[in-house]
């Protein structure tokens, strides 16, 4: 799942809880194919908006952790 990939990338601390969050807020039905940059420390809401396209970003295929300086 996307939540598991985000967990494996170190972007969320609990895949099952993040998956539940996505479902509770309807983001699970909006996730599409594409690529986004997710900064370290992004909130669940920020991540959900990025991967669902609600932030005006692209979508998700591969998850790469982005370091901020």
């Amino acid at each position: 799942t996307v939540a598991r990939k985000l967990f494996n990338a170190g972007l969320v601390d609990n895949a099952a809880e993040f998956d539940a969050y996505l479902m509770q807020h309807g983001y699970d039905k909006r996730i599409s194919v594409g690529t986004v940059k997710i900064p370290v420390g992004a909130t669940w809401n920020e991540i959900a908006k990025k991967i669902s396209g609600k932030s005006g970003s692209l979508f998700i295929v591969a998850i790469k952790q982005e370091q901020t300086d």
Side-chain angles (χ1 to χ4, degrees), residues 6-62:
L6 290 165
F7 172 78
N8 290 340
L11 293 167
V12 298
D13 56 354
N14 187 308
E17 287 181 15
F18 185 67
D19 198 40
Y21 174 86
L22 292 173
M23 289 187 286
Q24 283 180 323
H25 297 280
Y27 290 113
D28 61 316
K29 295 179 179 23
R30 296 186 180 109
I31 297 170
S32 298
V33 176
T35 303
V36 295
K37 291 183 180 180
I38 299 172
V40 173
T43 66
W44 283 9
N45 188 48
E46 291 167 335
I47 295 170
K49 284 182 178 180
K50 283 186 176 278
I51 66 174
S52 69
K54 292 189 93 180
S55 67
S57 298
L58 300 173
F59 307 99
I60 196 158
V61 165

